[in-house]
Amino acid sequence: MIAAMASRGSSVLSFARQQPLGAISLLLILIMFFAGVFAERVAPYHPEVIDFTSILQGPSSAHWAGTDAFGRDILTRIIYGARTALLISLVSSLLGCTLGAILGASSAYFGGRIDYAIQRVVDILLSFPLIVLALVVVAIMGRTLVFGIDIGLIAAITIPIIPQVARVIRSSALSIRRMSYVEAARVAGYSNTRVIFRHMAPNLVAPYLVLLSVYMSQAILLEASLSFLGLGVSEPTPAWGLMLAGSATEFFAQAPWMVIFPGLAISLAVFAFNLLGDSLRDWLDPRFRT
Amino acid sequence: MLNYIAYRLLLTIPTLLGAAVITFFLLRVIPGDVVAVKLTGDGAIVSQAVIDAERARLGLDKALIYQFSDWMLGLLQFDMGRSMWTGRPVIVEISQRFWTTFQVALMSTAIGVLIAVPLGTLSALKRGGAIDYATRIFTMAGLSVPGFWVGMLILIWLLQTYGWQPPITTIPFISDPAGNLSQLIWPALAVGYRFSAVLARIIRSTVLEVLGEDYIRTARAKGLVPRIIIGRHALRNALLPAITVIGLEFAFLFGGLVVTEQVFNLNGLGKLFVQAVANRDFIMIQGMVMLFAVIYIFANLVVDLLYAVFDPRIRYGTAEA
């Protein structure tokens, strides 16, 4: 554990050397992350203040990505939108992957009837596309605000991720479960929780990180889709999917920049996390190297 | 073979029942009341008596288990109940929109396959080359761009170059095939791009795997021309995993076209589903979820049967029967 921590600095370097595309995607993610966190300093305008003197202006030196139907600067709203997208996606993919991993690992560890029951429910959930499950959760929970955060939306993105992760982690955990050191830990009389979290979990970190990156991208896509449908983030909060809805669909003939730039932001974010996931997989597991 | 199909159909019963139980009870966990939403949605003040009467009319005052068994008995007779919002039978609402979604799903699949098969194969054959690299970027981009955004870009392009706007209603294929195709090809392209990206990646990796097999080396050693090695030996075997992906992705499109239909203003299943979710029309939602489950299970069965067609080693029914 200590050795792993000490080598963390050099492992980032070795990742960058072996996976140049992965390093680029990591850089992109960091830029988006810092832009989102320091949006107040980075963004040139206020994201929500309406300015009727500059409605539907094309890209210019004053507004690099143009303005929307309310005269708001689109680049500013994209930068603030990064905060919304990354915050919601990070919380829901962390929750979804962690719950999925615990479910998958327990399913493999206990085996027998418990495994069978969990896997049948997972089977059923896996027969729907992510967006359908997300919409069903939206229908169940609606908009449930807790401290200004829509936990209905978080749940709608988290819950569809759980069965997907559970299935993948289960298959990794099954092979670990059969290893003699896990058997030894069980024979030594350690509790189930301890064996799962202390002995099996460290070997599941690699697939977990890959899944986290992949489902981060799916979460961004889901949030954008739900917001676009009017069932996610609501105005005036800046969110990429929301920027493509409403007035963007009315005015896209005159003001195509209203559609082009927010969509580019979504694509770039999803692209970066997909690429990072791919590179992490290649780097962490040499068997997958192509 | 027939035995096998019957056996598989029997196996779907617990899955469908499980899906029904999960959807039905989850939708009723939180007491968000569709009647209250419907009657007081515009800020109207409605007396409790009116709400109770409406609840009784919709059968919501009965115990959950009775509501569930009513729904199950109805499903057996292809009666999915009536929409809580429009009052029309769910089966009618679905069947009016099914074919639009079916057609877009079918066209997207065709486009996806047409792009992915040559692209995936080429990129595996020229592994590490320029084509392979370009394919990796093309497919990674396809997985990353939201389909609905591609759709909007297509609409902008069509509008600015041809002044073409999507018609408000869907043109039926039977009365005007050309008009119908020229309307639906655009959403199919927007969705087909993503489809091709998913599929091309699978094909690339399976072709790579197959090319490493002994029988390919044997075929090369006995001097077969590359066209036959690739066409007859490699592609045929690489086809099987591709069929799974094609079948399941196709099934997923029925529920997955939700956002694209919104962009192109298509009155399909996706739009119906979003409306049902926005109105918390539980009867409509549970009916549609069951439909999506049935489509998925059916696609799965067809995929398994196709396996036997393409791979003579697989024979169903003989071992079990």
Side-chain angles (χ1 to χ4, degrees):
Chain A
M1 204 58 189
I2 293 159
M5 278 177 163
S7 70
R8 189 166 293 162
S10 63
S11 68
V12 170
L13 272 180
S14 95
F15 173 70
R17 247 198 316 275
Q18 288 173 31
Q19 301 285 336
L21 284 176
I24 293 170
S25 59
L26 196 61
L27 194 69
L28 258 174
I29 290 166
L30 284 177
I31 292 172
M32 274 186 289
F33 183 77
F34 280 110
V37 171
F38 299 108
E40 279 85 359
R41 282 154 194 257
V42 182
Y45 295 88
H46 190 280
E48 292 171 17
V49 169
I50 293 169
D51 176 8
F52 284 115
T53 58
S54 53
I55 287 172
L56 295 179
Q57 284 179 5
S60 64
S61 57
H63 300 281
W64 289 3
T67 61
D68 67 6
F70 299 102
R72 298 175 298 197
D73 182 56
I74 287 177
L75 181 65
T76 301
R77 287 178 66 76
I78 286 177
I79 293 172
Y80 277 88
R83 176 183 291 181
T84 314
L86 292 179
L87 185 69
I88 292 177
S89 311
L90 193 66
V91 172
S92 28
S93 61
L94 265 175
L95 267 176
C97 288
T98 308
L99 291 175
I102 293 175
L103 198 66
S106 329
S107 190
Y109 177 79
F110 291 110
R113 281 192 195 155
I114 297 176
D115 184 38
Y116 186 82
I118 292 178
Q119 292 314 310
R120 291 299 75 74
V121 176
V122 167
D123 275 342
I124 291 170
L125 294 177
L126 286 182
S127 51
F128 301 101
L130 292 175
I131 184 82
V132 167
L133 287 183
L135 284 170
V136 171
V137 177
V138 168
I140 294 168
M141 300 201 51
R143 210 177 289 280
T144 318
L145 289 177
V146 176
F147 299 120
I149 297 165
D150 186 355
I151 56 164
L153 178 59
I154 303 260
I157 302 169
T158 302
I159 290 171
I161 294 175
I162 295 174
Q164 311 251 348
V165 173
R167 177 54 51 87
V168 179
I169 291 288
R170 173 180 176 268
S171 64
S172 307
L174 271 180
S175 57
I176 295 169
R177 171 75 177 78
R178 279 192 287 270
M179 288 189 182
S180 45
Y181 80 92
V182 173
E183 213 42 62
R186 274 163 56 85
V187 173
Y190 290 142
S191 71
N192 292 332
T193 332
R194 190 183 164 105
V195 177
I196 293 176
F197 284 97
R198 291 293 295 276
H199 298 265
M200 289 173 68
N203 275 318
L204 292 171
V205 168
Y208 175 84
L209 285 179
V210 173
L211 288 168
L212 192 63
S213 184
V214 169
Y215 283 102
M216 197 56 204
S217 74
Q218 293 302 312
I220 293 171
L221 267 181
L222 267 182
E223 185 266 311
S225 306
L226 289 174
S227 300
F228 177 77
L229 292 171
L231 298 167
V233 178
S234 52
E235 284 280 4
T237 308
W240 296 336
L242 196 59
M243 291 172 76
L244 292 172
S247 56
T249 53
E250 276 169 54
F251 296 109
F252 67 51
Q254 302 106 289
W257 52 86
M258 284 175 71
V259 172
I260 292 170
F261 293 111
L264 269 181
I266 302 173
S267 309
L268 209 61
V270 176
F271 185 81
F273 279 105
N274 267 335
L275 201 59
L276 181 67
D278 246 31
S279 313
L280 269 180
R281 178 173 12 223
D282 289 351
W283 184 61
L284 290 170
D285 190 345
R287 275 173 306 167
F288 285 119
R289 258 171 218 166
T290 49
Chain B
M1 193 68 147
L2 279 178
N3 277 343
Y4 176 75
I5 295 176
Y7 167 73
R8 282 290 303 263
L9 287 178
L10 224 66
L11 270 187
T12 64
I13 294 175
T15 313
L16 284 176
L17 197 65
V21 170
I22 294 176
T23 343
F24 183 89
F25 288 100
L26 279 187
L27 279 171
R28 287 155 180 81
V29 168
I30 293 189
D33 191 344
V34 65
V35 176
V37 174
K38 185 178 172 183
L39 295 180
T40 61
D42 307 323
I45 296 159
V46 184
S47 73
Q48 191 60 39
V50 176
I51 292 179
D52 286 344
E54 181 69 6
R55 285 177 62 86
R57 193 182 68 80
L58 292 168
L60 293 178
D61 53 344
K62 289 192 215 165
L64 273 187
I65 192 75
Y66 285 110
Q67 289 186 41
F68 183 72
S69 57
D70 278 354
W71 181 47
M72 283 291 104
L73 289 174
L75 276 184
L76 290 177
Q77 305 157 44
F78 292 99
D79 173 13
M80 301 170 126
R82 286 167 181 274
S83 159
M84 291 167 148
W85 198 257
T86 62
R88 300 178 63 208
V90 169
I91 195 102
V92 173
E93 298 273 18
I94 287 178
S95 54
Q96 280 177 349
R97 293 165 176 86
F98 182 83
W99 295 108
T100 306
T101 300
F102 177 79
Q103 200 191 339
V104 176
L106 203 63
M107 287 166 74
S108 314
T109 309
I111 291 169
V113 172
L114 282 178
I115 299 175
V117 172
L119 206 62
T121 318
L122 264 179
S123 116
L125 292 177
K126 310 274 178 202
R127 179 181 177 189
I131 294 179
D132 189 22
Y133 209 72
T135 306
R136 191 174 174 189
I137 292 175
F138 175 85
T139 54
M140 198 51 116
L143 292 181
S144 308
V145 295
F148 64 95
W149 181 59
V150 177
M152 293 177 93
L153 293 182
I154 290 177
L155 279 180
I156 291 176
W157 173 69
L158 285 172
L159 196 65
Q160 295 205 332
T161 40
Y162 302 103
W164 186 86
Q165 259 182 309
I168 307 221
T169 54
T170 312
I171 304 164
F173 184 77
I174 302 160
S175 59
D176 181 7
N180 165 278
L181 287 180
S182 70
Q183 180 186 10
L184 297 187
I185 185 74
W186 308 112
L189 267 177
V191 179
Y193 176 34
R194 192 198 135 76
F195 199 118
S196 74
V198 175
L199 190 58
R201 284 162 68 94
I202 299 287
I203 291 178
R204 178 183 180 275
S205 64
T206 45
V207 169
L208 273 180
E209 211 168 287
V210 169
L211 285 180
E213 298 277 347
D214 288 343
Y215 59 82
I216 297 290
R217 201 175 38 200
T218 311
R220 281 219 178 95
K222 69 180 183 184
L224 278 185
V225 286
R227 191 166 53 86
I228 293 187
I229 298 177
I230 292 154
R232 204 170 291 168
H233 291 71
L235 266 188
R236 218 188 144 113
N237 283 294
L239 207 61
L240 292 178
I243 288 173
T244 310
V245 174
I246 294 170
L248 301 186
E249 285 286 316
F250 172 70
F252 271 173
L253 284 182
F254 285 83
L257 285 174
V258 170
V259 200
T260 311
E261 283 178 5
Q262 207 78 17
V263 169
F264 286 91
N265 200 18
L266 293 174
N267 199 8
L269 292 177
K271 211 169 181 183
L272 184 67
F273 194 58
V274 172
Q275 278 165 8
V277 167
N279 295 333
R280 311 191 94 184
D281 187 345
F282 291 164
I283 300 208
M284 182 65 84
I285 295 172
Q286 67 197 23
M288 297 195 70
V289 167
M290 290 313 283
L291 174 77
F292 296 145
V294 168
I295 292 172
Y296 180 83
I297 287 170
F298 187 70
N300 232 326
L301 180 60
V302 171
V303 163
D304 283 353
L305 295 179
L306 280 178
Y307 261 55
V309 174
F310 285 100
D311 189 342
R313 284 170 302 182
I314 302 172
R315 280 282 171 268
Y316 297 122
T318 43
E320 286 104 342

